[in-house]
Amino acid sequence: LCMFQTPMSAVLAVPGGILSSPQVTPSELPKNMWDGLKCFMGTGTITAGCHPDDCRWAMITMVAFTLICFVYVNLMVLLLKFGSANLMFLALTLIVPVANLAFALPIMPTPVTLHASDVVIMAGIISYRIGSTGAGDG
């Protein structure tokens, strides 16, 4: 996946920069990449204005994100190996309401409200689980 994702990211950086707001020209991309690397190492490059950089936690958050994604992908592979595709899709469906619940917690900077769709998804997952356990009894 990485062997596909890295070159595609490099190719799509140019049209992505042109279509972004504010627009980033292709000649600005190398400087922005360098500034991003410096921020990853903990040095902010934007020190004035209404949104200055706070790069103190950049490396820790990026490494934590990478490790969490690695664990997540490997757990999905193990779920497919020892479970079934049906169980994997059930787990993937469960991610949506759980993520909404996490973002609704008051510790989040801007908590969101839960929606009725979260309740419908959870009710569907629970009813599927109850129905699948009762089907083998008869």
Side-chain angles (χ1 to χ4, degrees):
L1 184 66
C2 183
M3 294 179 71
F4 172 76
Q5 195 172 9
T6 302
M8 287 305 292
S9 296
V11 169
L12 293 176
V14 174
I18 293 170
L19 296 174
S20 68
S21 176
Q23 187 176 15
V24 179
T25 61
S27 62
E28 295 174 304
L29 285 175
K31 181 184 180 317
N32 287 346
M33 295 293 285
W34 179 248
D35 289 345
L37 180 64
K38 288 195 307 190
C39 185
F40 179 72
M41 299 307 282
T43 305
T45 56
I46 301 173
T47 56
C50 59
H51 300 291
D53 283 344
D54 183 13
C55 297
R56 293 175 295 178
W57 303 103
M59 184 182 292
I60 293 171
T61 55
M62 287 299 295
V63 170
F65 174 76
T66 304
L67 289 175
I68 289 169
C69 284
F70 177 77
V71 169
Y72 173 75
V73 168
N74 283 309
L75 286 175
M76 284 294 144
V77 169
L78 290 173
L79 187 63
L80 271 175
K81 182 177 180 180
F82 297 110
S84 64
N86 197 16
L87 183 62
M88 186 190 77
F89 283 112
L90 193 65
L92 288 173
T93 304
L94 184 65
I95 289 173
V96 174
V98 170
N100 286 345
L101 180 65
F103 281 107
L105 294 174
I107 61 169
M108 296 303 286
T110 54
V112 297
T113 58
L114 292 176
H115 300 284
S117 60
D118 298 326
V119 175
V120 170
I121 291 172
M122 289 304 292
I125 292 172
I126 291 169
S127 64
Y128 175 81
R129 180 67 186 142
I130 291 170
S132 65
T133 57
D137 295 339

